[in-house]
Amino acid sequence: MKSKQKVLILFGTQTGNSEDVADRIGRYITRMNGKAQVVNLNDYPVTSLVNESIVIFVCSTTGNGEFPDNMKSFWKFMLRKSLPSNSLSHLKFCVFGLGDSSYDKFNVVAKKLNKRFLQLGALELIPLTLGDDQHELGYDAALDPWLLKLKDLLKNICFLSDSYIPDNVPLPPRYTVKFFEYSSTTTNVNSDIYNRNKLFPLATLKKNQRVTPDDHFQSVHILEFKIESDVHYEPGDVAVVWPENPIEEVEDFLALLNVPLDTIFTLVPTDADVPLPKIDTYPCTVRQCATSYFDIMSIPRRSFFEIFQHFSQDELEKEKLEEFTTAAGQEELYDYCNRPRRNILEVLKDFPNTTPHVPFEYFFDMIPSIRTRSFSIASSLRAHPQELHLLVAVVQYKTRLRKPRQGLCSNWLTTLKSGSSIPFSIKKGSIALLKDQFPIILVGPGTGVAPFRSFIEERALNGIGDNYLFFGCRNKAKDFFFSETWQELCKKNMLRIFTAFSRDQEDKIYVQHRITENGPLMWDLIQNRKATIYIAGNAKQMPQGVKDAFLEIIKKEGCLTQEEGLKYLQSLENAKRYQMETWA
């Protein structure tokens, strides 16, 4: 009998949705008695593609049509001109994309990836399939029929039998847990296999200042960190941090478990291809794991309930959990979890006759790991030696649930005490300051202004004063971030600022209005003085509004048609003279 072929599932994600879908596909194949390996694209050596037979890609599109961070290196390699047109002719593949049709560049990452693999000779198993977060059933509307197609294909390609592990039987966990018989407080287990504090530089908090008044709708903080002397970053770079769960929520979660909380444990993968999780630090205790690894504050996805329902000891709870795992039950699940933003910890509490019966090792399959968070660096390293500044808006809002919803990382960062040290890393952002002396036009409403402080400080040190900043916020008196810095630079003729305080008058004024008002100046800077335009901020409406404003200026001042104006804008993007960094 022919042996089964392994199916490799690679995911590119920024928010975790792609990882969730990839895990569901992996379990689906496993239930067909197939071999599946789910791998983060960051952890996959791209040159190994020559050894693969079947690959499924699950990838999301971020911001304004950008590749997720864990996919950028992979994509850069795939674009090499030296790759022969038949280099992937041995490979069968399919792509499932995750996007949001309310954005212009809907699922553009999946489209580009699919096209590139076809160019390199790979055989497409299933036509490109695009999940849409705007659908009433979310990504499941596209995923459920896609899985049925996959099942029929893999039966023939992977030589799978007709046998199927029933849905009511739990699959083996990804890891088995081994507890040691001594306390972590008295004995160490060899040396750390993974220790974030040893692998990454540390940032020590020297200042944590709230810069919006107490009566403002949002708490925004400037955090100043002292960093190691050999850490280097450039204007436009991003700081990456690992948040931790709040102590109160950690204790609530631990109270639900029936395992020793302060005894060190290790994990043994059930499959040799499965990597160990990157817990800080590992080996560790359950308490440490609950603090720094399990994302108990995240909203559970369908895959969570697909595992959770197996352990229910209550007929009513089991019935409800099973409903959440079906396509027909997705509207109910959305109303229960997504609409009120109910988190995993709250769901575990809502099912008291199920949670105590979940074996601890299954939580590694049910609960995602805490994702890193990225923040634009709001300082020039030359202006602030051995320092790193962040501008952080605290995420907090109300839903129909009694307890206000809080952003994990923003609340963790802004409650840090002076002297606290945290591991961090530096990565390139979506925007980069060009090393020339041409003018720059900066559009950064709200906390989007953060990276532009580093831009302007850097250029001011070099004596370059052609800096034009469009800043918008609600009130001049309440959220005019870095106003003193701007005033000082304006006095030195290093900056010209255009402000839009939307709530300080009856008619709301936004940055795009100020751009339009200064059309002749903008056209002169762009056309005659070779200025570069940088835009940073919320991805929902602002970037399109700003783009429309520049398009109208280009058409009017340049006497161009709509098509010619769009081509002009595209030429600026291609030349890196129109750069954006946006976030949802």
Side-chain angles (χ1 to χ4, degrees):
M1 182 179 176
K2 294 182 179 179
S3 61
K4 300 172 184 176
Q5 292 188 56
K6 180 192 74 177
V7 178
L8 176 66
I9 305 164
L10 298 173
F11 65 89
T13 187
Q14 197 90 341
T15 62
N17 287 332
S18 295
E19 182 177 5
D20 178 68
V21 171
D23 281 340
R24 285 179 57 196
I25 295 169
R27 284 195 295 275
Y28 189 81
I29 294 170
T30 303
R31 287 200 177 277
M32 295 167 60
N33 284 301
K35 293 181 179 180
Q37 181 185 2
V38 179
V39 183
N40 185 318
L41 270 165
N42 253 355
D43 301 326
Y44 183 75
V46 63
T47 52
S48 296
L49 278 177
V50 296
N51 303 318
E52 307 294 350
S53 299
I54 305 170
V55 180
I56 296 172
F57 290 95
V58 182
C59 51
S60 58
T61 298
T62 67
N64 191 47
E66 298 162 10
F67 279 77
D69 288 339
N70 75 323
M71 200 174 170
K72 288 178 178 176
S73 295
F74 177 88
W75 181 242
K76 185 177 180 181
F77 181 90
M78 297 311 301
L79 288 179
R80 288 187 178 184
K81 294 180 180 179
S82 59
L83 293 176
S85 59
N86 65 344
S87 56
L88 295 180
S89 57
H90 65 286
L91 188 69
K92 300 180 181 71
F93 83 104
C94 54
V95 177
F96 187 91
L98 287 81
D100 185 326
S101 58
S102 67
Y103 287 86
D104 278 348
K105 298 183 179 179
F106 171 58
N107 258 313
V108 69
V109 168
K111 293 172 184 176
K112 287 182 177 180
L113 182 66
N114 198 78
K115 181 180 179 180
R116 183 57 177 156
F117 268 70
L118 289 172
Q119 289 174 344
L120 296 175
L123 176 65
E124 188 179 46
L125 282 174
I126 302 175
L128 171 64
T129 305
L130 305 177
D132 184 4
D133 196 36
Q134 288 295 315
H135 194 282
E136 60 181 6
L137 297 179
Y139 304 127
D140 290 316
L143 183 62
D144 287 336
W146 183 88
L147 286 172
L148 293 176
K149 292 179 185 176
L150 182 70
K151 182 177 181 179
D152 291 336
L153 280 167
L154 295 185
K155 271 190 177 182
N156 298 320
I157 296 172
C158 297
F159 311 109
L160 303 182
S161 65
D162 288 332
S163 62
Y164 184 84
I165 301 174
D167 290 339
N168 62 354
V169 176
L171 294 173
R174 191 177 306 174
Y175 309 102
T176 55
V177 176
K178 179 183 177 184
F179 282 99
F180 287 80
E181 294 182 357
Y182 41 73
S183 169
S184 63
T185 60
T186 58
T187 311
N188 292 321
V189 179
N190 298 324
S191 59
D192 294 323
I193 296 173
Y194 181 88
N195 189 321
R196 203 171 286 147
N197 284 4
K198 294 179 180 178
L199 291 173
F200 296 95
L202 297 178
T204 302
L205 185 65
K206 53 176 288 192
K207 182 179 180 181
N208 181 352
Q209 178 187 3
R210 176 168 175 158
V211 291
T212 51
D214 292 339
D215 63 348
H216 193 55
F217 84 104
Q218 190 173 46
S219 172
V220 180
H221 290 237
I222 292 178
L223 293 95
E224 298 180 3
F225 292 92
K226 194 77 174 174
I227 58 176
E228 298 172 9
S229 57
D230 58 345
V231 174
H232 182 78
Y233 64 84
E234 297 283 347
D237 284 354
V238 169
V240 180
V241 299
W242 290 263
E244 295 183 351
N245 288 312
I247 294 175
E248 181 182 346
E249 277 70 15
V250 168
E251 292 301 324
D252 284 353
F253 175 70
L254 295 175
L256 302 173
L257 306 182
N258 296 312
V259 291
L261 303 180
D262 296 298
T263 299
I264 286 178
F265 71 85
T266 57
L267 298 169
V268 181
T270 54
D271 187 322
D273 290 330
V274 176
L276 287 171
K278 293 180 179 178
I279 307 171
D280 180 35
T281 61
Y282 176 82
C284 66
T285 66
V286 173
R287 188 181 302 278
Q288 289 170 320
C289 188
T291 300
S292 64
Y293 183 75
F294 286 141
D295 195 358
I296 57 176
M297 305 299 290
S298 64
I299 299 170
R301 302 182 179 92
R302 180 170 164 181
S303 59
F304 171 93
F305 296 97
E306 288 176 348
I307 301 171
F308 193 34
Q309 53 99 11
H310 288 299
F311 305 104
S312 185
Q313 304 290 306
D314 179 270
E315 189 175 333
L316 288 176
E317 287 188 12
K318 190 172 185 65
E319 182 180 342
K320 176 55 69 176
L321 291 172
E322 286 177 343
E323 180 186 6
F324 289 157
T325 69
T326 65
Q330 291 315 289
E331 187 173 342
E332 184 76 15
L333 177 58
Y334 186 88
D335 191 57
Y336 171 66
C337 282
N338 297 73
R339 188 166 282 117
R341 313 296 290 176
R342 196 184 308 270
N343 62 46
I344 285 175
L345 176 58
E346 290 167 329
V347 172
L348 292 173
K349 289 180 177 180
D350 281 352
F351 292 86
N353 298 308
T354 304
T355 299
H357 304 287
V358 178
F360 177 64
E361 53 262 33
Y362 274 96
F363 283 120
F364 289 92
D365 293 338
M366 292 171 56
I367 306 176
S369 61
I370 294 175
R371 293 180 296 104
T372 59
R373 299 327 197 251
S374 300
F375 294 88
S376 296
I377 298 173
S379 53
S380 159
L381 187 58
R382 290 177 59 211
H384 306 276
Q386 287 185 248
E387 289 190 10
L388 182 151
H389 299 177
L390 303 179
L391 182 65
V392 179
V394 177
V395 177
Q396 184 165 317
Y397 54 94
K398 291 184 178 181
T399 67
R400 67 170 186 249
L401 299 179
R402 180 181 59 84
K403 192 171 184 178
R405 306 293 91 185
Q406 293 189 334
L408 176 62
C409 190
S410 61
N411 280 274
W412 171 74
L413 272 176
T414 54
T415 54
L416 288 174
K417 304 297 183 185
S418 293
S420 302
S421 292
I422 61 170
F424 74 102
S425 65
I426 301 292
K427 70 176 183 181
K428 292 296 175 188
S430 302
I431 56 177
L433 180 63
L434 299 181
K435 296 185 182 298
D436 58 39
Q437 297 196 11
F438 295 123
I440 58 174
I441 300 167
L442 310 170
V443 185
T447 55
V449 79
F452 299 146
R453 182 172 179 247
S454 71
F455 280 32
I456 297 169
E457 284 183 339
E458 186 77 8
R459 282 169 59 98
L461 286 173
N462 293 329
I464 305 172
D466 269 330
N467 307 302
Y468 300 82
L469 172 65
F470 289 87
F471 175 79
C473 64
R474 290 196 174 196
N475 310 103
K476 180 179 181 179
K478 294 187 175 183
D479 50 353
F480 188 5
F481 306 132
F482 305 124
S483 59
E484 292 180 3
T485 300
W486 309 142
Q487 290 168 13
E488 184 179 335
L489 288 166
C490 287
K491 289 177 183 177
K492 296 178 180 179
N493 293 321
M494 288 293 165
L495 174 68
R496 186 171 173 187
I497 188 168
F498 305 86
T499 54
F501 305 116
S502 63
R503 305 300 199 276
D504 279 355
Q505 63 284 311
E506 188 173 340
D507 296 326
K508 292 180 182 177
I509 298 174
Y510 298 111
V511 285
Q512 53 264 43
H513 299 137
R514 296 302 191 209
I515 292 168
T516 302
E517 290 171 4
N518 290 275
L521 171 62
M522 293 300 101
W523 176 247
D524 179 56
L525 290 171
I526 298 166
Q527 174 65 12
N528 302 321
R529 303 189 58 202
K530 308 304 179 188
T532 298
I533 302 166
Y534 297 92
I535 300 162
N538 190 285
K540 202 63 178 177
Q541 295 177 328
M542 183 275 295
Q544 189 59 50
V546 168
K547 190 171 188 176
D548 290 342
F550 278 115
L551 178 60
E552 288 306 309
I553 290 170
I554 289 166
K555 286 162 52 182
K556 179 181 178 182
E557 303 297 332
C559 299
L560 302 177
T561 65
Q562 176 77 8
E563 184 177 355
E564 289 170 337
L566 288 171
K567 284 183 178 179
Y568 188 101
L569 261 180
Q570 186 61 54
S571 70
L572 293 179
E573 289 188 44
N574 294 341
K576 303 292 185 185
R577 290 182 55 207
Y578 192 99
Q579 300 184 34
M580 288 194 295
E581 180 161 272
T582 59
W583 52 86

